[in-house]
Amino acid sequence: MAWNKFVTLITILVVLLPTITAAKEFVVGDDSGWKTNFDYQAWAKDKVFRVGDTLVFNYKAPNHNVFKVNGTGFKECIKATENEAPLSSGNDKIDLQTSGNKWYICSVKDHCDLGMKLFITVSDESSAVRGITLSGSYQAFMAVIMAITAIAALST
């Protein structure tokens, strides 16, 4: 009897745990990193960015930097006029805390014109529920069946 309860509990965990995923960390440019003459729009094209995810910009400091700009700044490669300093550590992490469009450029010399610019759209769906959304109806159905089985096993 105790063995059945243990097996049921393990089965429930196996079914439910994959539905909960942690936030993703995206290394911009993957192994290429943050550099000139790279197509960051092609890199970002098939990725889904969500609130809670993190962008990591890897590059050789002080040769480059990361500057958050608006759409105009991105299009025209112009850094913001505010007194905001660019990120310049060579391993900059940006937490995506809000949804919407995000634009980043390198403001060193003509690097933005040479392709060091990234535009992404961040979904307001939290990364914490990503697995539930992508798990499909089958996994939800199995979770309900396992929960009912567990309740029945525990009540006997």
Side-chain angles (χ1 to χ4, degrees):
M1 183 58 95
W3 178 252
N4 286 341
K5 290 179 183 179
F6 176 74
V7 170
T8 302
L9 181 60
I10 295 300
T11 304
I12 290 170
L13 290 175
V14 167
V15 170
L16 293 179
L17 282 180
T19 66
I20 301 172
T21 59
K24 286 190 175 182
E25 186 173 272
F26 293 95
V27 176
V28 176
D30 296 322
D31 292 337
S32 296
W34 185 235
K35 65 179 190 174
T36 57
N37 300 312
F38 187 88
D39 188 350
Y40 291 100
Q41 295 322 113
W43 171 83
K45 179 182 161 203
D46 296 326
K47 294 175 176 50
V48 178
F49 303 95
R50 292 186 171 87
V51 171
D53 289 344
T54 302
L55 294 178
V56 179
F57 291 83
N58 291 324
Y59 56 91
K60 293 181 182 175
N63 299 339
H64 305 297
N65 63 28
V66 179
F67 215 105
K68 184 175 181 180
V69 295
N70 60 23
T72 302
F74 178 83
K75 182 180 174 184
E76 298 176 10
C77 288
I78 300 170
K79 65 181 180 181
T81 57
E82 303 168 8
N83 292 332
E84 186 177 328
L87 301 173
S88 57
S89 73
N91 183 28
D92 302 320
K93 294 185 178 189
I94 298 175
D95 294 328
L96 302 175
Q97 299 176 347
T98 59
S99 61
N101 294 332
K102 312 291 180 191
W103 300 272
Y104 304 96
I105 66 170
C106 177
S107 65
V108 174
K109 300 180 185 175
D110 61 347
H111 292 189
C112 178
D113 291 320
L114 293 172
M116 286 188 77
K117 56 198 287 185
L118 171 67
F119 164 68
I120 63 169
T121 301
V122 179
S123 168
D124 61 356
E125 178 184 292
S126 170
S127 291
V129 296
R130 172 182 288 142
I132 293 171
T133 301
L134 299 179
S135 65
S137 58
Y138 173 75
Q139 195 158 9
F141 173 74
M142 289 304 297
V144 170
I145 295 299
M146 296 313 302
I148 292 169
T149 304
I151 292 168
L154 293 173
S155 64
T156 58

